[in-house]
DNA sequence: TTTTATTAATTGAACGTTCAATTAACAATA
DNA sequence: TATTGTTAATTGAACGTTCAATTAATAAAA
């Protein structure tokens, strides 16, 4: 059965299976059996590749964060540097196709909840929060005075997370995501427009 | 040891202990033992009063929701009926002293996460969401045209949930809560001011 | 005495981890 | 080319732990 050089493939398959299991069953009911079954492997392989269940959970969150980061870089590269466009980019990458899938959203919310009581996850979570905030603040600060930029960035960050949360909990996440993205942009544009007036 | 008429007292003590345990240990690590120990009782009492752990969890969420609802009614009674003041009331009750405690916030987020996969909790969650949204929409609609009121209500609801979420996850929840309340009100007031202009 | 309230002990299922055994691919040897 | 030795990949049963639920026993109140 074994082929050499399967390490990266297997790790990715297990991470995918982890997110599927969390999205379907919730973190509460996700076990190493529910994960390994979905990946078509045995339960022991998880400890072999990730040192244990906890290691796999953290690797899965790291994967989500990486994907979000890469998404943002890609979109940023395609625009000129105007604050308006950069802010749109940030919003879009947070609501992008990848995020839009109910699978990722549910997984993310499960991580959020557990992050409150598990330092490893909490650290990753805080890094992500800080990155979103500082990206927003940087662009606002090119148009608004310092303290107003701070407030606008906080509001926008909360708006994004809030729409996300409500979408993940709603019966029809994708519809909610679309409305959320639109209304986040609306807020940003009106905030900028008011500054110019 | 047993006294008659202890039912309501014991039930409330167990609900309080449940929220303490969830806030301290997380839902993951909250067991009937961790709850009953905090309440100074034996583990069997939970099944006796709530039919089991799940029944207690749902009762605790119901208690949080009731408290939020009562908080809102109280504040509403103290104001005139202007849309501006009513909106402030809604925001204040969502950020009130009770909510501000890290204990409630963490408990709430744990519930949110589990609500995705447990129909009983999900139902309670949706009722709460709908109530917040319709309260907001009603007040906005007295000043704004229908579709703008809808959008403003959605944005405000997302803002509240977003600040909440970020506060619960932050190192210093109470400071975040304060800033959140202020920035939610700022959004509402500027939205109303723009409509009048 | 009967009922209500409560406890302490017990049970059985479910879970994560570990590890000896197995398999397949590869490399060296003849 | 065929044989053999080596290693990476993978399995799944066994183990110890933890948990929710149940049970039987106990104590106070009516």
């Amino acid at each position: 059965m074994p082929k050499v050089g399967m390490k990266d493939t297997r790790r990715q398959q297990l991470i995918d299976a982890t997110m599927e299991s969390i999205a379907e069953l919730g973190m509460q009911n996700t076990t190493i059996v529910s994960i390994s079954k979905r990946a078509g492997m045995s339960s022991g392989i998880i400890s072999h590749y990730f040192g244990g269940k906890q290691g796999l959970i953290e690797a899965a969150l790291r994967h989500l964060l990486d994907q979000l980061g890469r998404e943002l870089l890609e979109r940023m590269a395609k625009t000129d540097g105007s604050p308006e466009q950069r802010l749109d980019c940030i919003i879009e990458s947070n609501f992008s196709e990848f995020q839009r899938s109910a699978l990722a959203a549910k997984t993310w919310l499960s991580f959020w909840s557990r992050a409150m009581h598990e330092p490893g996850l909490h650290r990753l979570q805080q890094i992500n929060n800080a990155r979103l905030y500082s990206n927003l603040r940087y662009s606002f600060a090119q148009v608004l005075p310092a303290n107003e930029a701070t407030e606008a960035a906080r509001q926008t960050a909360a708006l994004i997370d809030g729409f996300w949360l409500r979408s993940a909990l709603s019966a029809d996440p994708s519809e909610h995501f679309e409305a959320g993205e639109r209304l986040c942009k609306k807020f940003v544009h009106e905030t900028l427009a008011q500054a110019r007036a």
Side-chain angles (χ1 to χ4, degrees), chain A:
Chain A
M1 287 179 192
K3 277 189 201 169
V4 274
M6 282 286 91
K7 198 168 173 178
D8 288 351
T9 309
R10 292 281 175 268
R11 284 178 63 100
Q12 189 55 53
Q13 287 171 332
L14 284 169
I15 286 174
D16 291 344
T18 302
M19 296 198 291
E20 282 171 30
S21 176
I22 292 176
E24 280 178 40
L25 310 174
M27 187 130 261
Q28 169 93 187
N29 300 314
T30 288
T31 68
I32 56 169
V33 172
S34 80
I35 295 171
S36 52
K37 215 169 199 172
R38 248 158 263 259
M41 304 171 207
S42 85
S43 65
I45 203 80
I46 287 173
S47 292
H48 180 247
Y49 279 128
F50 294 94
K53 189 191 181 189
Q54 185 58 24
L56 174 52
I57 300 276
E58 287 193 27
L61 176 55
R62 216 171 264 119
H63 180 252
L64 277 180
L65 293 172
D66 285 353
Q67 199 138 344
L68 184 57
R70 249 179 285 121
E71 180 84 32
L72 179 61
L73 282 180
E74 254 177 52
R75 282 171 190 273
M76 285 290 199
K78 284 185 197 154
T79 67
D80 61 31
S82 88
E84 204 141 5
Q85 289 207 356
R86 289 178 71 93
L87 287 166
D88 276 352
C89 270
I90 296 170
I91 293 170
E92 281 166 22
S93 68
N94 272 281
F95 285 94
S96 68
E97 200 58 46
F98 164 68
Q99 304 297 349
R100 201 167 295 168
S101 84
L103 193 152
K106 290 187 172 185
T107 306
W108 209 289
L109 182 45
S110 294
F111 282 137
W112 270 341
S113 169
R114 249 185 105 141
M116 287 190 302
H117 302 97
E118 295 201 6
L121 296 185
H122 191 251
R123 223 187 91 262
L124 293 173
Q125 176 61 43
Q126 293 300 86
I127 289 171
N128 190 52
N129 273 354
R131 185 174 58 183
L132 172 59
Y133 169 72
S134 86
N135 279 334
L136 290 168
R137 214 206 98 104
Y138 174 82
S139 290
F140 275 120
Q142 298 192 311
V143 180
L144 306 174
N147 72 318
E148 284 180 36
T150 298
E151 295 194 336
R154 285 198 188 191
Q155 284 176 312
T156 307
L159 257 189
I160 291 173
D161 285 354
F163 276 120
W164 237 49
L165 179 61
R166 295 179 86 81
S167 301
L169 289 169
S170 82
D172 181 353
S174 64
E175 187 205 9
H176 269 71
F177 267 117
E178 243 172 68
E181 179 172 346
R182 193 173 51 78
L183 291 173
C184 282
K185 287 185 179 177
K186 187 185 175 200
F187 171 77
V188 167
H189 294 149
E190 286 182 358
T191 300
L192 292 177
Q194 234 177 345
R196 294 200 186 89

